[in-house]
């Protein structure tokens, strides 16, 4: 049974049983405590907690998920995958334990011919929470499971919570017994891979607080409604129904594994370690493709870092399989073909998605090459010193700074006949992980408990009137002071105000929040921020500037009209620039993020190379031509499918409801899904002045522009600068570029002549410096400060010349101030090195006195620091080090 067929049978069954079928949410969640949708329940948290009224009493879905907390287990077990699909059925105050158990058992054990999944009851086991007698008795009454196949387990396995304050409850898990060939007898309690968990039924009935860990919390009481949250792993069902040993061999994953086998020339099933690598490649490539399809791009932090890590682990695994060159063109195409029937976007957007993947691969292959050079140097230094291993700190630096995988380091070092101080490396890794966990815990502690908004949201959605009105009369529904509900707020306090209606725009879609006031009888509130803490609810963060505001009072939201007008200009300009980019670069230049505020817009888009000046000028001209043409701006609210059929652009990673707001500028020329505020015609934008273009990733560029009066002010400032230059240089403005280039060339030539003069001046001191050589034990030492020098290279050249003139046993240390910083160059000859004088160690000694660092080869090395006045002391310290070495 194909994976897609299993999913369809599941959805068909629950639709037949009165469930609303909900499409999968994005892998990118708007939950501030999470980077990704890590479980099927994440999109439903507001309904399960009661913060937002559920739009349906019961639902079912197939939710895309990403989870990387067990990433080290990928490929080693039959069931661990970073991307997975979770089939779920949900009840929001409708049916409870009996309904959930009845539905699960019926679907699992009904024959395939009758639309079920066709599991034999004798292969199924069930676990329940040890104190949940009700669930135990229901399993006995509703099914033919014998007592010995219903196991009671503790809170660590059969009690569910997010680890944060909110909903929780006991759960019941259903397991499939793969048979004695896969492990020991004893059921799920053995925690053996023989028993595969396929379905978890969570009976969400309690609210918890004071959460110290997953198992240590306080139950406050029962939730307003008892809910059902279930999750059935689609990949786990697939590998069982397809008769394969693990999820990596199912129809949606195996094609990538097979492609990796062909590229490597190795055989799958012949070697355990290689098999794990093949599975890692198959899993990580699919996960990367799905993350890219939901708008995530590789970067060094947050979601982008997770994606980058997955890609680099796949590249590393292919390298360990013997493939050093690029492989993503083949692997990602194989994943696309395997996933496109279930997720058409991976085929429709493949040109864009693969561009990111191929760019990331090329970057990391260069990183591996650079890391290999650093590692080779560490190996050579270890061998020269007679060491048998390289330090853990060096291995960690390669891993942490250069992204060089530790197992690749171990492999290369082992081939060189050395080892790595793995204990030291592991200690540094543990310290880094501890810091990351502490940061994550801190972030969770700082999150507001959204349950405080529950009662406000239960009164309905906040009505936004700001598309047409800049003032709206309403009522204060609620107040929060210091994050807690309050009846009033007085002068000087910061509070959150919930209104039934508001004209103030809440930050979203790249557009920053409105500025403005909230006024009422006897009070004035300055609006500091406007946000949507839970879907459908607008919260205004305010400072009470006068009077006292209370719950139930009338209040009028007043938008700062000038700021709103400028923000609208910027947002509409963003749409114009997007359309101009697509006109100029093609349809693959899709949006990857934006920011709009009064007078300024920033737009990120998929593109892999710097824009030429001519291209930037063309984009700017197209956008301003659209302003000149005074194109009509229209908005429509319509079904999502209809908007997409009309060609409306949707931002990847954004969530859209069944109905959407579509913004047209000039008809289909610019047609995007957008909830922001806009001008009524393009001429109102005024002027768009592109002021910046830069890279924000391997395949993402950013353009920045000033808009409206801010754009005019920038151009006026530039005009003033040009006027000043024409006056100072007595050159017409059209000849300024040539004149400035001429002056720059003259300056460069003068600097070159000065540098030559200073170098000759230094060289003229050669006999004088050589004559200062003093005997220190077996060494002839020159340790002199030169004053100032044009460059460290000049000092290095002179040190080498002095070394040649001094003769056998020469140790030359010359110090100079180069610019604002001191530098010391140390040069030794063969005889001196034979006596133990190594330039690198001596340079470090001097640099320590200068407040910096240094090092290098044994024959020539350099040190530096920040304290130029300490140069004489640094040279004295170097000389004393030689005296100590010869004592």
């Amino acid at each position: 049974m194909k994976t897609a067929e299993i999913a369809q049978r599941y959805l068909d069954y629950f639709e037949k049983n009165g469930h609303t079928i909900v499409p999968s949410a994005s892998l990118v969640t708007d939950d501030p405590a999470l980077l990704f949708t890590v479980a099927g329940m994440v999109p439903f948290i507001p309904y399960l907690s009661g913060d937002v009224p559920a739009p349906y009493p019961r639902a079912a879905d197939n939710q895309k998920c990403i989870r990387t907390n067990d990433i080290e287990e990928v490929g080693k077990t039959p069931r661990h995958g970073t991307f997975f699909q979770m089939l779920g059925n949900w009840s929001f105050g409708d049916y409870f334990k009996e309904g959930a158990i009845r539905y699960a058992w019926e679907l699992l054990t009904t024959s395939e011919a009758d639309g079920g999944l066709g599991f034999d009851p004798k292969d199924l086991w069930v676990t329940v929470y040890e104190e949940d007698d009700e669930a135990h008795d229901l399993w006995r009454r509703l099914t033919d499971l014998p007592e010995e196949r219903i196991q009671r387990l503790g809170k660590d396995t059969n009690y569910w919570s997010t680890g944060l304050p909110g909903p929780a409850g006991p759960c019941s898990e259903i397991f499939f017994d793969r048979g004695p060939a896969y492990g020991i007898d004893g059921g799920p309690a053995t925690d053996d891979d023989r028993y595969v968990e396929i379905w978890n039924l969570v009976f969400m009935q309690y609210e918890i607080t004071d959460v110290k860990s997953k198992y240590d919390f306080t139950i406050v009481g029962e939730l307003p409604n008892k809910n059902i949250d279930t999750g059935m792993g689609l990949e786990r069902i697939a590998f069982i129904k397809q008769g394969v040993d693990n999820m990596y061999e199912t129809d949606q994953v195996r094609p990538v594994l097979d492609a990796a086998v062909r590229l490597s020339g190795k055989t799958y099933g012949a070697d355990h370690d290689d098999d794990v690598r093949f599975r890692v490649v198959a899993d990580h490539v699919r996960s990367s493709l799905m993350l890219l399809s939901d708008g995530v791009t590789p970067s060094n932090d947050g979601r982008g870092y997770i994606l980058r890590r997955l890609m680099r682990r796949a590249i590393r695994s292919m390298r360990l399989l013997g493939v050093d060159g690029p492989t993503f063109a083949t692997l990602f195409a194989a994943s696309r073909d395997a996933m496109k029937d279930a997720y058409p976007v991976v085929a429709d957007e493949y040109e864009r998605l693969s561009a990111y993947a191929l760019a990331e691969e090329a970057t990391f292959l260069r990183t591996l090459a650079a890391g290999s050079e650093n590692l080779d140097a560490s190996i050579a230094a270890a061998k020269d010193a007679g060491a048998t291993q390289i330090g853990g700190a060096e291995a960690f630096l390669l891993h942490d700074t250069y992204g060089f995988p530790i197992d690749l380091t171990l492999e290369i070092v082992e081939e060189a006949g050395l080892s790595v101080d793995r204990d030291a490396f592991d200690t540094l890794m543990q310290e880094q992980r501890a810091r990351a966990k502490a940061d994550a815990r801190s972030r969770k502690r700082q999150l507001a408990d959204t349950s405080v908004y529950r009662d406000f949201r239960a009164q309905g959605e906040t009505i936004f009137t700001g598309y047409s009105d800049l003032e709206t009369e309403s009522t204060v529904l609620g107040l929060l002071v210091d994050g807690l509900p309050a009846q009033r707020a007085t002068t000087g306090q910061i509070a959150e105000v919930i209104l039934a209606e508001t004209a103030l725009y809440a930050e979203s879609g790249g557009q920053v929040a409105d500025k403005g006031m909230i006024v009422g009888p006897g009070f004035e509130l300055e609006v500091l921020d406007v946000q949507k803490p839970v879907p459908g609810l607008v919260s205004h963060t305010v400072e009470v500037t006068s009077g006292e505001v209370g719950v139930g009072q009338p209040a009028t939201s007043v938008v700062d009209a000038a700021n709103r007008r400028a923000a609208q200009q910027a947002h509409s300009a963003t749409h114009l620039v997007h359309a101009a980019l697509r006109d100029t670069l093609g349809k693959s230049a899709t949006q990857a993020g934006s920011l709009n505020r009064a007078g300024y817009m920033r737009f990120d888009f998929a593109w892999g190379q710097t824009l030429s000046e001519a291209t930037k000028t063309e984009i700017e001209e197209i956008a301003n031509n659209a302003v000149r043409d005074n194109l009509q701006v229209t908005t429509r609210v319509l079904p999502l499918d209809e908007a997409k059929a009309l060609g409306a652009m949707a931002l990847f990673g954004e969530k859209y409801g069944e109905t959407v707001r579509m913004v047209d500028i000039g008809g289909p020329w610019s047609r995007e899904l957008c909830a922001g505020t806009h001008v009524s015609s393009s001429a109102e934008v005024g002027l768009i002045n592109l002021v910046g273009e830069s890279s924000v990733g391997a395949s993402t560029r950013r353009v920045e522009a000033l808009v409206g009066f801010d754009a005019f002010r920038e151009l006026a400032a530039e005009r003033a600068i040009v006027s000043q230059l024409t006056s100072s240089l007595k050159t017409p403005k059209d000849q300024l570029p040539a004149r400035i280039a001429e002056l720059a060339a003259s300056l460069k030539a003068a600097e070159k002549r000065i540098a030559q003069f200073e170098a000759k001046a230094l060289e003229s001191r050669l006999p004088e410096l050589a004559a200062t050589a003093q005997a220190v034990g077996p060494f002839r030492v020159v340790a002199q400060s030169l004053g100032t020098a044009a460059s460290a290279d000049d000092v290095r050249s002179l040190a080498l010349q002095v070394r040649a003139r001094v003769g056998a046993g020469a140790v030359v240390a010359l110090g100079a101030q180069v610019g604002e910083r001191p530098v010391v160059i140390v040069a030794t000859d063969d005889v001196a090195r034979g006596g133990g004088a190594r330039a690198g160690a001596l340079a470090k000694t001097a640099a320590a006195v200068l407040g910096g660092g240094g090092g290098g080869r044994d024959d020539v090395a350099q040190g530096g620091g920040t304290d130029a006045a300490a140069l004489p002391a640094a040279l004295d310290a170097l000389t004393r080090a030689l005296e100590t070495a010869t004592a």
Side-chain angles (χ1 to χ4, degrees):
M1 190 182 295
K2 297 293 186 184
T3 303
E5 182 186 349
I6 295 169
Q8 195 59 53
R9 281 175 179 252
Y10 183 93
L11 297 176
D12 288 346
Y13 171 81
F14 281 102
E15 185 173 34
K16 183 179 66 176
N17 283 282
H19 291 66
T20 299
I21 304 304
V22 180
S24 174
S26 170
L27 288 169
V28 178
T29 177
D30 54 9
D31 187 326
L34 300 169
L35 289 175
F36 297 115
T37 300
V38 296
M41 52 76 63
V42 170
F44 297 97
I45 287 177
Y47 310 146
L48 295 168
S49 63
D51 291 347
V52 178
Y56 23 67
R58 50 176 72 182
D61 69 337
N62 178 19
Q63 175 61 47
K64 301 178 291 186
C65 302
I66 284 283
R67 191 181 298 168
T68 58
N69 58 317
D70 291 331
I71 195 170
E72 299 298 337
E73 297 302 311
V74 171
K76 299 176 183 177
T77 74
R79 65 186 187 278
H80 279 95
T82 51
F83 172 82
F84 58 97
Q85 298 159 90
M86 189 61 72
L87 300 166
N89 58 284
W90 314 84
S91 167
F92 308 106
D94 191 7
Y95 61 85
F96 197 48
K97 292 182 183 179
E98 180 171 348
I101 291 171
R102 189 187 304 277
Y103 286 137
W105 191 255
E106 182 175 84
L107 176 59
L108 284 173
T109 60
T110 297
S111 69
E112 292 183 15
D114 293 327
L117 294 177
F119 281 89
D120 190 330
K122 69 178 179 59
D123 294 328
L124 301 178
W125 289 67
V126 166
T127 64
V128 297
Y129 178 49
E130 58 191 358
E131 298 177 11
D132 193 353
D133 295 333
E134 181 185 6
H136 171 274
D137 294 346
L138 284 169
W139 278 111
R140 292 289 287 132
R141 178 165 62 85
L142 298 174
T143 75
D144 54 2
L145 276 170
E147 178 67 30
E148 61 269 18
R149 281 198 276 127
I150 304 174
Q151 296 186 324
R152 292 177 182 261
L153 298 178
K155 194 178 282 187
D156 58 335
T157 58
N158 279 73
Y159 204 98
W160 181 91
S161 77
T162 62
L164 295 170
C171 62
S172 180
E173 298 176 332
I174 306 171
F175 290 78
F176 175 78
D177 181 1
R178 304 169 76 197
Y182 290 91
I184 61 175
D185 292 331
T190 64
D191 196 27
D192 191 84
D193 280 343
R194 167 176 169 173
Y195 303 94
V196 179
E197 179 197 338
I198 57 175
W199 206 337
N200 186 12
L201 314 180
V202 177
F203 310 129
M204 201 173 296
Q205 59 192 105
Y206 299 115
E207 183 168 358
I208 62 172
T209 188
D210 191 25
V211 180
K212 298 182 179 65
S213 71
K214 185 178 178 182
Y215 321 116
D216 185 2
F217 48 77
T218 301
I219 297 177
V220 179
E222 293 202 345
L223 290 169
N225 293 309
K226 294 181 178 180
N227 302 318
I228 287 296
D229 157 16
T230 84
M232 180 160 73
L234 179 54
E235 281 77 13
R236 297 187 184 191
I237 298 294
F239 86 69
I240 292 169
K241 296 302 293 182
Q242 292 174 20
V244 295
D245 285 341
N246 53 65
M247 62 162 286
Y248 317 101
E249 298 175 15
T250 60
D251 61 303
Q252 288 187 346
V253 189
R254 181 66 188 247
V256 185
L257 190 153
D258 289 339
V261 167
R262 290 192 297 273
L263 288 169
S264 70
K266 297 192 174 186
T267 301
Y268 181 62
D271 178 87
H272 172 75
D273 290 342
D274 283 349
D275 288 351
V276 170
R277 291 164 186 152
F278 282 128
R279 295 170 191 151
V280 167
V281 170
D283 172 84
H284 288 7
V285 165
R286 182 173 77 142
S287 298
S288 299
L289 177 66
M290 299 309 297
L291 283 170
L292 287 165
S293 73
D294 271 2
V296 182
T297 56
S299 68
N300 285 329
D301 54 25
R303 299 180 179 95
Y305 174 75
I306 300 297
L307 172 59
R308 172 162 285 167
R309 185 183 182 202
L310 290 169
M311 288 184 173
R312 292 187 168 190
R313 278 173 59 90
I315 296 168
R316 175 200 66 192
S317 294
M318 288 303 297
R319 185 180 177 112
L320 294 175
L321 286 164
V323 184
D324 292 336
T327 61
F328 275 6
T330 299
L331 298 173
F332 272 80
S335 190
R336 171 202 62 197
D337 294 342
M339 298 299 293
K340 64 183 180 182
D341 289 341
Y343 300 98
V345 65
V346 300
D348 297 342
E349 296 291 329
Y350 187 70
E351 181 180 355
R352 178 182 67 88
L353 308 183
S354 62
Y356 284 111
L358 297 180
E360 181 64 21
E361 180 181 41
T363 298
F364 188 49
L365 288 175
R366 289 194 296 270
T367 296
L368 289 177
S372 295
E373 290 182 9
N374 284 279
L375 182 54
D376 289 345
S378 295
I379 291 171
K383 287 185 173 181
D384 288 346
T388 59
Q389 63 177 202
I390 68 168
E394 293 175 86
F396 180 77
L397 179 69
L398 283 167
H399 164 82
D400 193 50
T401 303
Y402 298 100
F404 203 76
I406 181 59
D407 49 1
L408 197 55
T409 297
L410 293 171
E411 178 188 351
I412 294 172
V413 169
E414 185 177 342
E415 288 175 355
L418 302 175
S419 63
V420 173
D421 185 349
R422 190 60 190 266
D423 289 341
F425 174 85
D426 290 341
T427 297
L428 291 168
M429 283 297 295
Q430 288 168 6
E431 291 172 356
Q432 184 190 62
R433 288 172 182 146
R435 289 192 297 270
K437 287 180 180 178
D439 289 344
R441 284 194 298 269
S442 174
R443 183 179 64 191
K444 285 186 177 182
R445 283 195 297 269
Q446 293 167 7
L447 295 173
D449 181 358
T450 59
S451 65
V452 298
Y453 302 103
R454 183 181 302 158
D455 292 340
F456 307 140
R457 182 61 180 81
Q459 299 178 55
E461 292 193 26
T462 307
I463 298 171
F464 176 62
T465 63
Y467 291 132
S468 57
D469 301 324
L470 296 181
E471 292 189 16
T472 294
E473 295 180 358
S474 186
T475 303
V476 178
L477 295 181
L479 287 168
L480 296 173
V481 177
D482 295 329
L484 298 174
Q487 286 301 306
R488 63 192 72 257
T490 60
T491 301
Q493 284 189 304
I494 304 296
E496 288 185 64
V497 177
I498 312 297
L499 302 177
E501 302 89 13
T502 183
L504 291 154
Y505 184 81
E507 180 179 358
S508 62
Q511 182 174 335
V512 301
D514 274 335
K515 296 180 179 179
M517 301 286 292
I518 298 175
V519 298
F523 67 82
E524 287 190 359
L525 316 175
E526 180 186 355
V527 176
L528 307 177
D529 195 12
V530 191
Q531 296 290 333
K532 294 179 180 178
V534 296
L537 185 78
V538 174
S539 172
H540 311 77
T541 300
V542 303
E543 180 180 357
V544 183
T545 54
S546 67
E548 180 179 275
V549 59
V551 175
Q553 285 186 281
T556 300
S557 55
V558 182
V559 177
D560 181 328
N563 182 77
R564 165 71 78 81
R565 187 181 308 112
Q568 290 181 165
Q569 289 176 309
H571 202 155
S572 297
T574 302
H575 286 221
L576 297 178
V577 170
H578 189 191
L581 280 163
R582 289 167 64 81
D583 270 5
T584 306
L585 304 178
K587 302 305 180 186
S588 61
T590 52
Q591 184 172 355
S594 66
L595 174 68
N596 317 290
R597 63 171 183 260
Y600 171 84
M601 59 141 288
R602 184 183 77 202
F603 187 83
D604 298 344
F605 59 100
W607 198 250
Q609 57 192 34
T610 304
L611 301 184
S612 67
E613 289 300 321
T615 299
K616 286 187 285 187
T617 299
E618 183 179 1
I619 292 165
E620 191 176 54
E621 286 182 355
I622 292 172
N624 281 295
N625 283 341
V627 173
R628 178 202 62 193
D629 293 342
N630 197 23
L631 303 175
Q632 185 178 9
V633 179
T634 60
T635 60
R636 283 182 282 171
V637 177
L638 67 170
L640 177 60
D641 290 342
E642 184 178 340
K644 287 185 175 180
L646 290 170
M649 292 288 297
L651 176 60
F652 286 94
E654 282 289 310
K655 294 183 178 181
Y656 300 99
E658 294 181 4
T659 59
V660 293
R661 183 170 181 263
M662 185 173 75
V663 178
D664 286 359
I665 304 180
W669 182 69
S670 170
R671 177 169 287 168
E672 300 191 31
L673 303 183
C674 181
T677 62
H678 288 272
V679 298
S680 58
S681 66
S682 63
E684 294 178 33
V685 170
L687 180 66
I688 301 171
N689 177 15
L690 288 185
V691 293
E693 190 268 343
S694 58
S695 170
V696 289
S699 296
T700 304
R701 305 296 298 181
R702 170 175 291 170
V703 291
E704 298 174 88
L706 298 176
V707 181
F709 198 66
D710 287 76
F712 169 76
R713 278 196 292 262
E714 177 71 10
L715 292 173
E718 290 178 357
R719 181 178 62 190
I721 293 171
V722 170
S723 177
Q724 184 178 353
L725 287 172
T726 58
S727 175
S728 299
L729 300 178
K730 302 187 183 331
T731 303
K733 65 180 180 181
D734 59 336
Q735 297 177 21
L736 275 177
R739 176 62 175 148
I740 291 172
E742 177 187 335
L743 289 173
S746 298
L747 178 61
K748 187 174 182 179
E751 289 174 341
K752 184 177 180 181
R753 287 194 297 272
I754 292 170
Q756 290 171 342
F757 173 80
E758 290 180 341
K760 287 181 179 179
L762 281 178
E763 288 179 12
S764 69
R765 298 181 62 182
L766 176 59
E768 168 198 340
L769 291 168
T772 66
Q774 296 181 347
V776 178
F779 311 122
R780 290 182 56 73
V781 179
V782 174
Q784 296 291 323
S785 177
L786 304 177
T788 61
S791 70
D793 286 342
D794 289 345
V795 180
R796 181 186 297 267
S797 175
L798 183 58
L800 294 175
Q801 293 178 64
V802 173
R803 181 182 69 180
R805 180 165 293 201
V806 166
V811 177
V812 178
L814 300 181
Q817 181 175 330
V818 178
E820 299 298 321
R821 300 178 69 86
V823 65
V824 172
I825 303 294
V826 182
T828 61
D829 68 3
D830 291 341
V831 175
R833 289 193 295 277
R838 300 185 181 276
L842 294 170
K844 285 183 180 179
T845 299
V849 178
L850 297 173
R857 302 195 311 267
D858 289 345
D859 60 338
V860 182
Q862 178 174 327
T866 57
D867 186 3
L871 271 171
L875 295 170
D876 286 345
L878 183 149
T879 302
R880 287 196 303 273
L882 287 169
E883 291 171 348
T884 302
T886 60

